[in-house]
Amino acid sequence: MQLNVNGKQHEVDVEETMPLLWVLRDELAITGPKFGCGIAMCGACTVHINGMPARSCSIPVGQVSGQVTTIEGLGTPDAMHVVQAAWVEHQVAQCGYCQPGQIMSAAALLQVNPNPDDEAIDRALSANLCRCGTYPRIRAAVKTAAAKIRESNL
C-alpha cells in the first residue's frame, strides 16, 4: 500500500487494519507521534491528514488517503514551524511526551483561526492531555505563534 508521509511516498506491506501510528513508528521509523492511550483520547499521537488533526492510534492505515504530516514534517531544527519556535520561546515542554500532539493540534488551529482567543485555544487543544500541566505555557505559545503568523501576513 502507498502512503504519503511528510511529502515522501512510502510503500508499506502491512495489514490495512494496522493503526496508522504503528505504521509510522514501526514501519517508517517516524517516532514523533507517541502512543498514549490507544483510544484517541489523549492526543499524543496527533498527526495531520490532509491538513486536519487526526489521532493516528485509532485510524486504520487502509482508511488513510492523502498527505500525512507528523511533527517531523511540520518543521526542522534549522527551519522550525512558527508553533515549534513559540514552544521553544515559552519553554513549554517539561517531560515533552505530549508535545508533538499539542503542537500538531495548535498548528491545525492556527491554519483556520490565526487569531484565537483563550476559549478557542482551549477548545482546540482540550483533547490533548498534558500530565505536567503546562497548559498556561501552551496557551501563551499559541498566542505568540498566532501573533507571528498575523505579522507575517501583513
Side-chain angles (χ1 to χ4, degrees):
M1 131 183 359
Q2 293 287 317
L3 193 61
N4 189 313
V5 181
N6 298 329
K8 295 179 183 171
Q9 199 68 23
H10 299 273
E11 178 71 33
V12 293
D13 184 21
V14 298
E15 295 290 326
E16 289 189 2
T17 57
M18 178 182 257
L20 174 60
L21 176 64
W22 299 125
V23 174
L24 294 171
R25 293 183 62 81
D26 295 346
E27 300 296 321
L28 302 179
I30 297 172
T31 59
K34 307 295 185 218
F35 176 79
C37 66
I39 56 172
M41 297 298 293
C42 75
C45 67
T46 303
V47 299
H48 293 176
I49 299 177
N50 298 320
M52 300 298 296
R55 304 296 193 251
S56 63
C57 72
S58 63
I59 298 172
V61 70
Q63 293 180 8
V64 175
S65 64
Q67 174 65 40
V68 176
T69 305
T70 70
I71 189 82
E72 292 89 348
L74 197 61
T76 67
D78 295 329
M80 284 192 274
H81 184 278
V82 66
V83 175
Q84 292 169 315
W87 245 247
V88 172
E89 179 180 335
H90 287 275
Q91 299 181 1
V92 172
Q94 282 189 11
C95 83
Y97 198 81
C98 71
Q99 297 309 305
Q102 298 275 7
I103 289 170
M104 296 303 287
S105 291
L109 165 65
L110 295 177
Q111 285 179 357
V112 297
N113 182 355
N115 193 20
D117 59 14
D118 288 348
E119 184 179 330
I121 295 167
D122 292 348
R123 188 173 44 255
L125 278 76
S126 66
N128 289 79
L129 304 179
C130 174
R131 294 187 75 180
C132 300
T134 63
Y135 299 111
R137 289 188 295 210
I138 290 169
R139 188 185 293 149
V142 172
K143 287 181 178 182
T144 294
K148 290 182 180 179
I149 289 169
R150 289 191 308 273
E151 287 171 14
S152 70
N153 290 334
L154 295 178

